[in-house]
Amino acid sequence: MNNGITAIEYTLGEETLSLETLEQQGLLDSPAEQLHQFGFASCRFTRRSPAALAQECAQRLLEEKSIDPETIDLLIYAGALTCNHSISRRPGVMANFIYPATALHDSLGLVNANAFGISQTGCGAMMTAVRCATDFLHSHPEAQRVLVVGADVLPPGSKREIFYSLISDGACALLVEKNAAKNKIVAQKQKTKGFYWDCEKRKFELIAAYFPTARAIMQELLHEEGLHPEELSHIVPHNVSLRSWQILLGLCRMPTGLLFSENIAPIGHVVAADNFINFRDLESRNELKPDDRALLFNFGFGANWSCLLLQH
């Protein structure tokens, strides 16, 4: 059974804001010049809701791939920001129970699908959702398709820098299918370190733990698959910063030429969607050859480190 990611679509915030503009507006913690040195140039900003972005890219995926909504067996809504998992601004306790997963289920016409959301693995939420989708398809012989949709939009007035990373608003939708002809899911791995649950209070300890844990999980996944770094064709990153990837690849003794880094400068870190936006662009540029192996890595506050190995 070859589960694979057969389609990806994404939507970014419609406004582009340069580092200099963000600095002038007081939306950065660090000088713009320092973030330039980390590989950033601009981010994308929206005045629309995360639900609207999610609806747009999910609808486009279904239409462009001619997917009948009634053939979707499961919908997983995944986002890093808990504020994006309630779509009502009405007063009262009941407003907390109005969820984007079921709103999407209704608006997309997914009448045969179940739906749920993932919100507590931070920027790794979509990676966690793919893992859940794979497990679902393995355990339900009759199921064929899982739609994963994620959206993250910072609250109005928020600073655009988090832990020296530049944040964009955006959404991503992807389809995980059984017996896929491409982008086979070869292996997945996640490591949770609950000690860092308060990422603000333990900021510096978390930064210190980030690199050795990231190196360990990437090396462990490759070792378990009997692969050496030179057998990879591409490394598909989160866009936390170019500088962090240069450090991490050096620690892993992986060639920097494998890294797809083109999106870091223009769009920055699109929270939970980075890996799949980058993979979509890599594929759309015809830079993937048959049987190419791509390693996707992400990290989410909480703290969770995640890896995914795809074979094109």
Side-chain angles (χ1 to χ4, degrees):
M1 183 191 303
N2 294 332
N3 297 321
I5 299 174
T6 58
I8 304 173
E9 295 291 339
Y10 66 86
T11 300
L12 298 174
E14 59 275 9
E15 298 181 41
T16 300
L17 300 175
S18 68
L19 283 173
E20 290 70 26
T21 298
L22 294 167
E23 185 174 44
Q24 291 169 5
Q25 295 179 359
L27 296 177
L28 300 177
D29 293 318
S30 305
E33 180 56 35
Q34 182 177 359
L35 293 180
H36 272 300
Q37 293 173 7
F38 289 169
F40 300 112
S42 59
C43 71
R44 301 292 289 272
F45 168 79
T46 187
R47 302 180 192 278
R48 301 164 66 194
S49 69
L53 298 184
Q55 170 74 32
E56 178 183 315
C57 64
Q59 188 71 53
R60 188 168 66 249
L61 184 150
L62 295 177
E63 291 175 355
E64 292 193 0
K65 302 302 179 183
S66 300
I67 302 296
D68 182 352
E70 295 187 12
T71 66
I72 301 296
D73 298 290
L74 177 66
L75 167 67
I76 306 176
Y77 183 89
L81 300 168
T82 55
C83 61
N84 292 166
H85 285 260
S86 175
I87 60 176
S88 174
R89 297 296 178 262
R90 297 197 298 257
V93 173
M94 286 302 297
N96 294 294
F97 296 95
I98 301 177
Y99 301 120
T102 42
L104 269 177
H105 183 281
D106 179 52
S107 63
L108 295 174
L110 309 181
V111 294
N112 294 316
N114 290 323
F116 64 84
I118 294 172
S119 64
Q120 294 188 31
T121 56
C123 298
M126 289 200 72
M127 198 83 83
T128 305
V130 169
R131 187 177 184 181
C132 290
T134 303
D135 290 345
F136 174 82
L137 291 174
H138 277 304
S139 61
H140 293 77
E142 75 287 357
Q144 296 294 321
R145 288 172 165 164
V146 178
L147 179 63
V148 175
V149 185
D152 283 299
V153 174
L154 292 180
S158 297
K159 290 194 173 183
R160 287 280 146 179
E161 179 186 351
I162 298 177
F163 276 31
Y164 312 108
S165 186
L166 189 64
I167 309 299
S168 279
D169 300 326
C172 184
L174 59 89
L175 193 67
V176 181
E177 290 191 278
K178 190 174 289 182
N179 300 318
K182 65 174 185 177
N183 303 332
K184 175 186 174 183
I185 298 170
V186 178
Q188 300 171 87
K189 196 172 188 65
Q190 180 174 317
K191 187 181 293 290
T192 300
K193 292 191 173 182
F195 174 80
Y196 304 104
W197 65 272
D198 190 336
C199 52
E200 185 174 27
K201 181 179 178 181
R202 291 178 170 154
K203 173 180 178 178
F204 297 107
E205 293 93 333
L206 182 55
I207 291 173
Y210 171 80
F211 290 104
T213 309
R215 178 181 62 180
I217 190 173
M218 293 169 72
Q219 291 178 337
E220 287 169 13
L221 182 142
L222 292 178
H223 177 74
E224 290 169 5
E225 293 303 311
L227 295 173
H228 298 286
E230 57 268 23
E231 295 178 89
L232 295 173
S233 306
H234 306 276
I235 296 173
V236 185
H238 60 39
N239 297 345
V240 166
S241 80
L242 179 59
R243 182 61 187 134
S244 71
W245 271 102
Q246 291 168 340
I247 294 170
L248 181 56
L249 292 178
L251 291 171
C252 294
R253 297 182 180 179
M254 293 180 176
T256 56
L258 297 181
L259 185 71
F260 180 79
S261 60
E262 283 83 346
N263 283 337
I264 295 176
I267 67 174
H269 182 32
V270 197
V271 197
D274 283 348
N275 299 108
F276 302 103
I277 290 174
N278 291 337
F279 190 83
R280 169 71 165 78
D281 286 353
L282 188 66
E283 188 171 29
S284 67
R285 297 179 191 186
N286 296 317
E287 295 186 30
L288 288 170
K289 300 180 180 67
D291 295 324
D292 271 3
R293 296 186 182 94
L295 180 65
L296 287 67
F297 169 79
N298 208 328
F299 164 78
F301 287 146
N304 292 276
W305 288 255
S306 300
C307 272
L308 174 64
L309 182 65
L310 298 179
Q311 186 170 352
H312 186 57

